[in-house]
């Protein structure tokens, strides 16, 4: 039954519906695949007993005839989502063996609709990173390998565990989060689909906070349709998150396969950056041609403040992180190192509990918020953020969506950039603008580079217009006909 792991989520739901197999069977197949893939380090916690229990309950519901949208489908959960009674670590030592007494709204929505939890997925510490190397659990290894060597590659970050698990068929789909690209860049690095919905579409309640004005949950899966099915369950208004939008959640899957004829797609000229590998440029041109063939009108647009996005992001995100992470003080959560007095205990606990990248963010964030520097850095960054959002507003007067590359490179080797934070931050150049403006963004696998590694294209939409992204993403997916899979070596 191990081929059950190769199904798309949609095909699996159809198979469950017509009783070709049971949830216990497809869940068991995934549990075995997860156990056989430990060398990827995608899961930081496997919950097979819970999974089987949930699968049995789903099969019982199936017999009684009352099933939800995701009934019986085994999923992986990024370990940034609090899961009731199941250790949740955010990839950090400072949280220790924290077992939440509550369930995040997004995961609660998935369980409400009948999904099965296989376990918790690795991530960069507090979702800070672009390579999964800042995780206290060690890096995730990308199931993809270059055809010119066996070096271990990053699956991207921060949702590296989600991306690797989806690509290696260790779940039918996964939850992820995106503060500055953490769904889209790993999707691009692993040949998977990921969408960061509009800020406020999914509740942030119960998700460990990184930068609250940017954080947003979203799904990763192997097809555009699968992400649409997942997002329909994950999204929805939640009074427990004051930034959650009180809007209806459409059936996103209904947009996949819809004609994109007549849609206007913008190509922002500022995204043609220096030193972009020619293959990525060529893929972008190919993507434009595909959408043109599908009947879209292509329009060149300008987003003039793009070059300030990365510096603004790396002020706003650390500023919010320094504030959010103040709560980890050795008093309330797991790790505590006893000092000679209260301040000493705070300092020792935080020094021992946070990794280097998180400490760097806390220092940058505290600095840009401090008296005397606030106006020069934080306030300035907020003004840039406004300008970036205005650029998008103006572009969306002329076009319905934008097409760009997702990332300026394919997956790189583990260790390649870990000593150079600025080089690492530069990987987020095409993704952070979308978070700063609160817009939906999707990455769709579009091709392979000369080394046989996947590359993604990004679609950016108007606020709350994920539907158009699902239609365009479906069109791109169909045209690209991306069927490659990583060769199984693990
Ligand atoms: N790579 C970015 C960062 O390190 C984005 C991370 C994210 O989206 N969670 O901040």
């Amino acid at each position: 039954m191990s081929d059950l792991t190769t199904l798309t989520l949609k095909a699996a739901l159809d198979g469950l519906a017509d009783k070709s197999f049971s949830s216990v069977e497809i869940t068991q197949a995934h549990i075995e695949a997860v156990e056989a893939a430990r060398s990827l380090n995608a899961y930081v916690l496997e919950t097979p007993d819970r999974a089987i229990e949930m699968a049995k309950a789903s099969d019982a519901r199936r017999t009684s005839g009352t099933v939800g949208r995701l009934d019986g489908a085994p999923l992986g959960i990024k370990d940034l989502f609090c899961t009731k009674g199941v250790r949740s670590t955010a990839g950090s030592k400072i949280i220790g063996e924290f077992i939440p007494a509550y369930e995040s709204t997004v995961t609660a929505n998935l369980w409400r609709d009948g999904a099965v939890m296989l376990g918790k997925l690795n991530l960069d510490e507090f979702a800070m990173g672009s390579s999964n190397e800042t995780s206290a659990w060690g890096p995730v290894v990308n199931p993809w390998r270059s055809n010119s060597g066996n070096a271990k590659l990053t699956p991207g970050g921060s949702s590296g565990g989600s991306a690797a698990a989806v690509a290696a068929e260790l779940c039918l789909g996964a939850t992820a989060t995106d503060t500055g690209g953490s769904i889209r860049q790993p999707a691009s690095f692993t040949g998977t689909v990921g969408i960061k919905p509009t800020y406020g579409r999914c509740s942030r309640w119960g998700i460990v906070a990184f930068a609250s004005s940017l954080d947003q949950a979203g799904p990763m899966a192997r097809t555009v349709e699968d992400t649409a099915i997942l997002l329909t369950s994950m999204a929805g208004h939640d009074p427990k998150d004051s930034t959650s939008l009180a809007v209806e959640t459409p059936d996103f899957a209904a947009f996949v396969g819809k004609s994109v004829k007549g849609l206007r797609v913008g190509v922002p000229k500022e995204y043609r950056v220096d030193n972009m590998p020619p293959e990525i440029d060529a893929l972008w041109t190919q993507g434009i041609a595909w959408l043109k063939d599908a009947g879209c009108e292509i329009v060149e647009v300008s987003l003039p403040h793009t070059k300030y996005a990365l510096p603004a992001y790396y002020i706003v995100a650390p500023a919010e992180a320094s504030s959010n992470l103040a709560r980890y003080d050795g008093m309330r959560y797991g790790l505590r190192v006893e000092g000679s007095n209260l301040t000493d205990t705070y300092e020792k606990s935080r020094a021992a509990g946070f990794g280097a990248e998180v400490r760097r963010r806390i220092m940058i964030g505290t600095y840009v918020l401090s008296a005397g520097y606030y106006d020069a850095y934080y306030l300035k960054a907020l003004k840039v953020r406004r300008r970036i959002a205005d650029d998008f507003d103006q572009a969306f007067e002329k076009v319905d969506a934008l097409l760009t590359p997702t990332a300026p490179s394919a997956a790189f080797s583990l260790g390649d950039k870990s000593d150079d934070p600025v080089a690492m931050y530069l990987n987020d150049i095409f993704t952070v603008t979308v978070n700063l403006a609160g817009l939906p963004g999707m990455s769709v696998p579009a091709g392979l580079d000369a080394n046989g590694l996947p590359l993604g294209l990004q679609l950016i939409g108007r606020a709350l217009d994920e539907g158009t992204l699902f239609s365009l993403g479906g069109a791109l997916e169909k045209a690209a006909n991306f069927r490659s899979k990583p060769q199984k070596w693990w």
Side-chain angles (χ1 to χ4, degrees):
M1 279 286 182
S2 66
D3 59 341
L4 291 178
T5 61
T6 65
L7 297 175
T8 63
L9 171 64
K10 173 72 169 79
L13 291 171
D14 289 347
L16 286 163
D18 65 25
K19 300 207 166 62
S20 302
F21 46 83
S22 66
S23 176
V24 168
E25 283 169 327
I26 193 165
T27 299
Q28 187 60 38
H30 279 91
I31 290 170
E32 285 162 23
V34 170
E35 282 171 1
R38 290 198 178 126
S39 55
L40 298 179
N41 203 22
Y43 281 84
V44 295
L45 183 72
E46 297 168 21
T47 54
D49 296 343
R50 176 175 290 247
I52 292 294
E53 203 181 293
M54 290 173 97
K56 280 186 181 154
S58 169
D59 287 335
R61 283 193 296 273
R62 187 81 56 193
T63 313
S64 73
T66 48
V67 289
R69 184 183 295 111
L70 296 170
D71 230 296
L75 305 177
I77 302 299
K78 184 177 183 178
D79 205 21
L80 203 61
F81 292 78
C82 288
T83 40
K84 189 175 176 182
V86 177
R87 191 190 68 193
S88 304
T89 71
S92 183
K93 280 199 295 203
I94 201 147
I95 298 186
E97 295 290 310
F98 174 55
I99 299 186
Y102 45 82
E103 188 75 34
S104 85
T105 298
V106 164
T107 46
N109 291 347
L110 294 172
W111 316 142
R112 172 205 65 206
D113 286 350
V116 168
M117 177 167 82
L118 290 164
K120 304 297 292 286
L121 294 161
N122 207 341
L123 71 159
D124 278 300
E125 184 175 6
F126 287 107
M128 296 176 196
S130 308
S131 65
N132 219 294
E133 291 167 287
T134 73
S135 169
W137 302 101
V140 176
V141 183
N142 194 330
W144 289 83
R145 277 178 168 179
S146 162
N147 55 23
S148 59
N150 286 340
K152 286 183 178 167
L153 305 179
T154 172
S158 67
S159 310
S162 307
V166 169
E169 299 173 338
L170 311 179
C171 58
L172 294 173
T175 65
T177 61
D178 190 314
T179 302
S182 281
I183 290 177
R184 291 159 288 154
Q185 182 254 22
S188 180
F189 281 16
T190 56
T192 57
V193 182
I195 177 166
K196 178 203 93 73
T198 309
Y199 182 78
R201 183 65 97 173
C202 289
S203 169
R204 290 182 297 108
W205 197 81
I207 302 174
V208 177
F210 164 8
S212 307
S213 78
L214 301 160
D215 296 345
Q216 188 57 204
M220 298 186 73
R222 292 189 288 272
T223 67
V224 172
E225 184 180 34
D226 288 358
T227 58
I229 295 169
L230 288 168
L231 184 59
T232 305
S233 284
M234 291 165 71
H237 178 238
D238 177 13
K240 288 189 284 198
D241 170 3
S242 61
T243 62
S244 154
L245 297 170
V247 292
E248 285 295 305
T249 304
D251 175 10
F252 290 119
F255 289 91
V256 185
K258 252 176 91 168
S259 167
V260 295
K261 218 169 153 171
L263 286 178
R264 292 160 306 165
V265 177
V267 177
K269 59 171 188 260
E270 290 79 5
Y271 280 54
R272 226 167 269 283
V273 294
D274 293 343
N275 303 326
M276 185 149 81
E279 286 167 297
I280 294 187
D281 207 31
L283 188 71
W284 191 13
T285 305
Q286 176 63 260
I288 293 168
W290 283 330
L291 290 183
K292 224 187 237 171
D293 287 348
C296 297
E297 187 193 328
I298 306 295
V299 183
E300 189 180 89
V301 296
S302 174
L303 300 170
H305 297 90
T306 300
K307 62 173 176 293
Y308 305 115
L310 209 55
Y313 171 83
Y314 276 98
I315 289 173
V316 172
E320 294 187 24
S322 75
S323 162
N324 271 328
L325 271 54
R327 75 190 70 171
Y328 303 106
D329 55 6
M331 305 293 140
R332 281 167 285 195
Y333 295 88
L335 190 115
R336 175 189 177 99
V337 180
E338 217 56 61
S340 53
N341 55 42
L342 184 64
T343 306
D344 197 37
T345 302
Y346 287 159
E347 288 177 358
K348 286 204 164 82
S349 301
R350 287 169 69 83
F354 291 131
E357 181 60 28
V358 174
R359 289 203 297 270
R360 176 163 28 244
R361 307 276 180 123
I362 292 172
M363 284 190 282
I364 294 171
T366 310
Y367 180 79
V368 300
L369 288 175
S370 57
Y373 297 102
Y374 184 95
D375 290 2
Y377 293 105
Y378 184 65
L379 208 58
K380 188 74 143 226
L382 290 188
K383 288 178 182 166
V384 170
R385 183 176 188 177
R386 181 68 255 165
R387 292 270 178 268
I388 288 166
D390 290 345
D391 282 357
F392 278 113
D393 283 348
Q394 277 161 26
F396 285 128
E397 283 172 14
K398 285 187 258 167
V399 296
D400 301 300
L402 299 166
L403 180 73
T404 77
T406 305
S409 75
F412 46 88
S413 299
L414 290 172
D416 242 20
K417 298 188 201 288
S418 40
D419 295 335
D420 185 349
V422 174
M424 190 70 88
Y425 299 168
L426 278 168
N427 221 263
D428 306 331
I429 191 154
F430 300 139
T431 46
V432 295
T433 51
V434 174
N435 302 74
L436 288 168
L439 302 174
M442 169 188 275
S443 180
V444 181
L448 299 176
D449 72 0
N451 292 318
L453 296 175
L455 296 171
L457 287 174
Q458 174 175 238
L459 290 159
I460 304 169
R462 293 191 181 100
L464 292 175
D465 191 18
E466 289 85 357
T468 297
L469 294 192
F470 283 117
S471 298
L472 286 168
L476 269 185
E477 180 179 58
K478 193 166 161 212
N481 194 23
F482 184 90
R483 302 230 174 267
S484 311
K485 288 185 179 191
Q487 291 276 336
K488 193 161 188 272
W489 54 266
W490 57 90

